[in-house]
């Protein structure tokens, strides 16, 4: 009987990324059997890239449209590394990414720790210092996104690649109706989709509650002050075909742009 090895699985995923080899079914002994195996692989991957304490986390599949697109029924989280976080206005090399796509997101920056375990909206809101717009850069690393399975998506950081973050400016996010807050994304000036904060598990901060209570947060020792949490996209991934400029906005929050050169 083949013994499951999360360290070897993490090495396989990193090698696949470096070779730009699409991921299908992982080999025997490396394939996660369930979500707990996926979390074990993701944690091993984090240690390999020096992210024992991540810069933050992304949360995917927090909207019905994203769950339908991915063929999943619940959110999936992934850690983020400091080198992958960029300020609005950044210019990124298109060629640095494998089949890149972009997503339109709300992002929380934590002011206080959130320990692993059950969390309600009041606790989540109290832990958030800033709420900003963000663009997540994802990669099409899978042969078939709906066939790869949740455990493997968990292991692979839910196809996360990078993030471009806005600023809060002088907007008091606590005074905003986050459920009806409307966001939109455009590519080279052409509208490409949109949604509202309520698309994200009914309230954007429900995503943070989910993450705090997840086995992923528990494995990483909880959520820490200063970490960034991407709360989910209001649109499915928009796959890019070449260099372009991406803009997202959730007025009155300051918008975010990134140029793929």
């Amino acid at each position: 009987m083949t013994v499951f090895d999360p360290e070897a699985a993490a090495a396989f995923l990193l090698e696949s990324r470096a070779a730009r080899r699409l991921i299908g079914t992982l080999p025997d002994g490396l394939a996660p059997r369930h979500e707990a195996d996926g979390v074990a692989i993701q944690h091993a991957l984090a240690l390999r890239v020096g992210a024992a304490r991540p810069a933050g986390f992304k949360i995917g599949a927090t909207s019905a449209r994203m769950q339908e697109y991915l063929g999943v029924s619940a959110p999936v989280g992934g850690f983020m590394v400091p080198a992958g976080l960029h300020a609005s206005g950044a210019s990124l090399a298109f060629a640095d990414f494998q089949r890149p796509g972009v997503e339109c997101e709300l992002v929380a920056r934590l002011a206080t720790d959130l320990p692993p375990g059950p969390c309600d909206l009041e606790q989540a809101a109290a832990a958030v210092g800033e709420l900003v717009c963000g663009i997540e850069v994802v990669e099409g690393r899978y042969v078939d996104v709906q066939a790869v399975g949740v455990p493997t998506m968990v292991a692979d950081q839910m196809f996360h690649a990078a993030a471009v973050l806005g600023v809060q400016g002088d907007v008091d996010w606590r005074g905003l109706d986050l459920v009806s807050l409307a966001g939109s994304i455009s590519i080279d000036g052409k509208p490409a989709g949109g949604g509202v904060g309520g698309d994200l598990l009914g309230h954007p901060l429900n995503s943070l509650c989910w993450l705090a209570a997840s086995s992923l947060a528990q494995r990483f020792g909880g959520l820490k002050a200063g970490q960034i949490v991407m709360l989910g996209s209001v649109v499915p991934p928009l796959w890019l075909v070449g260099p372009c400029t991406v803009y997202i906005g959730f007025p009155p929050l300051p918008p975010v742009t990134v140029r793929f050169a």
Side-chain angles (χ1 to χ4, degrees), residues 12-190:
F12 178 87
L13 289 176
L14 288 176
E15 289 164 6
S16 296
R17 293 182 193 180
R20 299 203 169 184
R21 184 172 60 239
L22 294 181
I23 299 168
T25 302
L26 272 61
D28 288 347
L30 305 185
R33 300 156 296 183
H34 38 62
E35 189 171 339
D37 282 355
V39 169
I41 295 171
Q42 188 181 143
H43 189 254
L45 196 156
L47 297 181
R48 282 179 172 267
V49 299
R53 178 166 174 168
F57 295 89
K58 63 81 54 85
I59 312 171
T62 57
S63 73
R65 277 196 290 174
M66 282 296 292
Q67 290 180 6
E68 180 180 4
Y69 175 83
L70 295 168
V72 303
S73 58
V76 179
F79 74 88
M80 302 191 297
V81 299
L85 302 184
H86 307 274
S88 179
S91 180
L92 306 179
F94 182 85
D96 285 349
F97 299 94
Q98 179 182 3
R99 300 167 67 193
V102 289
E103 298 181 349
C104 177
E105 309 221 3
L106 287 168
V107 185
R109 186 187 301 273
L110 300 184
T112 62
D113 293 356
L114 263 179
C119 174
D120 60 28
L121 271 177
E122 184 177 353
Q123 292 170 308
V128 174
E130 297 181 348
L131 189 78
V132 303
C133 299
I135 298 170
E136 185 182 10
V137 184
V138 294
E139 293 184 315
R141 297 196 285 255
Y142 310 130
V143 173
D144 182 341
V145 71
Q146 291 204 356
V148 71
V150 170
T152 296
M153 281 193 277
V154 172
D156 191 50
Q157 297 167 266
M158 189 62 164
F159 56 77
H160 173 75
V164 183
L165 307 173
V167 296
Q168 187 172 298
D170 59 1
V171 178
D172 178 9
W173 70 266
R174 296 181 188 277
L176 302 178
D177 178 356
L178 298 184
V179 173
S180 63
L181 188 66
S184 62
I185 183 168
S186 63
I187 299 175
D188 285 338
K190 298 178 181 179

Side-chain angles (χ1 to χ4, degrees), residues 90-97 100 240 242-246 258-261:
S91 180
L92 306 179
F94 182 85
D96 285 349
F97 299 94
L240 307 179
C244 60
T245 298
V246 180
V258 62
R259 170 68 184 165
F260 289 91

